[in-house]
Amino acid sequence: MQQEEETAMLKYKHKFPNPFGWLLDKFNNFKSEQLKYHESLWSWFHWTITYTCGKGLYYNLLSKFYYPIRNYQKWVRFGERVGKRTDVLWNLSKPLTLTFITEDKGYCPTCHERAVENGDAENNDWYKFFHADYNHHYETNLLLSNKKYTYTYCCCEDLLFEPLEEYYTSGGESGSSMFTQECAQWDINKDIRPKNGWDPLKEHKAQKLPKGWRFKNDY
């Protein structure tokens, strides 16, 4: 008799389970089955919030508003037909400043040193190596009407394209088709003069600005 009552109670519990236990089982099953979906959904939500309202909004503001204003520039060239080229630049980031760039030929110390090492020139043959392009940068304030020298950008095209020419002549075994050499481009301050007499090589070493130097208004 007791055994029959226990069997009937088990059937009743199986037919009408504990509501709390039933909900807990359903939740566990749902969680195990939908875990991957929830993780992907959370990842998408986190990415959307981060890159739309966080970093994304920050970079969108930079790219759409700040960078166009900072990089907006007007450029005019004068005197190219008469051989005295002058570039005039105006930047929206510096509305009261005009930048003038004049070009002429200047001394190339690397070509001179290499020629002396190879025995093709003497130390006092510096005048034979005035073939580098010198771009002198000046600035003027529209209100003060003053003109101030800032620096000179120098470039030797012979050194600039030397790795490429070596690459072609060697059939690709030496040189470089993608990169040039550091000595092909440099910055100097022509207002600097050495103390002990005038010598083109010493003067150039004294004028040369350190690697990685940038004028404070350059980008």
Side-chain angles (χ1 to χ4, degrees):
M1 188 67 179
Q2 184 178 0
Q3 185 175 3
E4 292 179 357
E5 291 179 355
E6 291 178 355
T7 303
M9 185 63 70
L10 290 174
K11 290 182 179 180
Y12 176 80
K13 289 182 177 180
H14 179 72
K15 187 176 180 179
F16 301 99
N18 186 350
F20 179 75
W22 179 82
L23 288 175
L24 185 62
D25 291 339
K26 287 295 184 181
F27 176 76
N28 289 333
N29 293 335
F30 175 81
K31 184 177 179 181
S32 60
E33 293 176 359
Q34 303 295 330
L35 182 61
K36 292 183 180 180
Y37 170 75
H38 279 79
E39 288 181 350
S40 61
L41 183 63
W42 168 251
S43 299
W44 172 83
F45 178 75
H46 181 266
W47 183 89
T48 302
I49 294 298
T50 301
Y51 290 94
T52 303
C53 302
K55 295 180 180 178
L57 180 61
Y58 172 74
Y59 288 116
N60 284 334
L61 290 175
L62 286 180
S63 60
K64 292 182 180 180
F65 298 100
Y66 175 69
Y67 289 139
I69 294 175
R70 189 199 70 172
N71 298 332
Y72 184 81
Q73 183 183 88
K74 283 293 185 179
W75 168 73
V76 181
R77 173 170 290 177
F78 299 99
E80 189 171 15
R81 293 184 177 180
V82 297
K84 294 182 179 180
R85 192 180 74 184
T86 300
D87 295 334
V88 182
L89 286 76
W90 178 83
N91 296 296
L92 183 59
S93 58
K94 301 182 294 180
L96 298 179
T97 301
L98 287 179
T99 301
F100 295 88
I101 303 176
T102 60
E103 183 184 46
D104 62 4
K105 295 298 181 180
Y107 173 66
C108 181
T110 302
C111 290
H112 187 192
E113 287 183 341
R114 290 182 179 181
V116 172
E117 291 177 359
N118 295 331
D120 298 330
E122 301 293 337
N123 289 330
N124 56 358
D125 291 339
W126 50 265
Y127 55 89
K128 298 180 181 179
F129 299 92
F130 270 67
H131 57 256
D133 295 326
Y134 276 37
N135 295 283
H136 308 291
H137 291 243
Y138 301 86
E139 282 193 351
T140 182
N141 190 291
L142 297 178
L143 298 179
L144 301 178
S145 299
N146 60 340
K147 188 176 180 180
K148 180 182 178 182
Y149 168 77
T150 55
Y151 71 100
T152 299
Y153 165 74
C154 310
C155 177
C156 176
E157 291 190 357
D158 295 341
L159 299 175
L160 189 68
F161 295 104
E162 186 177 59
L164 180 61
E165 294 176 355
E166 184 180 356
Y167 177 82
Y168 286 145
T169 55
S170 64
E173 296 181 358
S174 60
S176 175
S177 61
M178 300 295 294
F179 301 99
T180 185
Q181 46 192 339
E182 293 183 358
C183 60
Q185 303 172 81
W186 65 96
D187 296 328
I188 64 171
N189 184 348
K190 67 176 185 178
D191 287 344
I192 299 176
R193 293 289 184 270
K195 297 180 180 180
N196 300 325
W198 183 83
D199 180 88
L201 189 57
K202 291 181 180 180
E203 183 176 1
H204 187 274
K205 289 182 177 180
Q207 293 176 346
K208 192 172 182 180
L209 297 171
K211 183 181 178 181
W213 175 90
R214 288 294 180 271
F215 185 57
K216 63 181 180 179
N217 290 325
D218 285 352
Y219 302 115

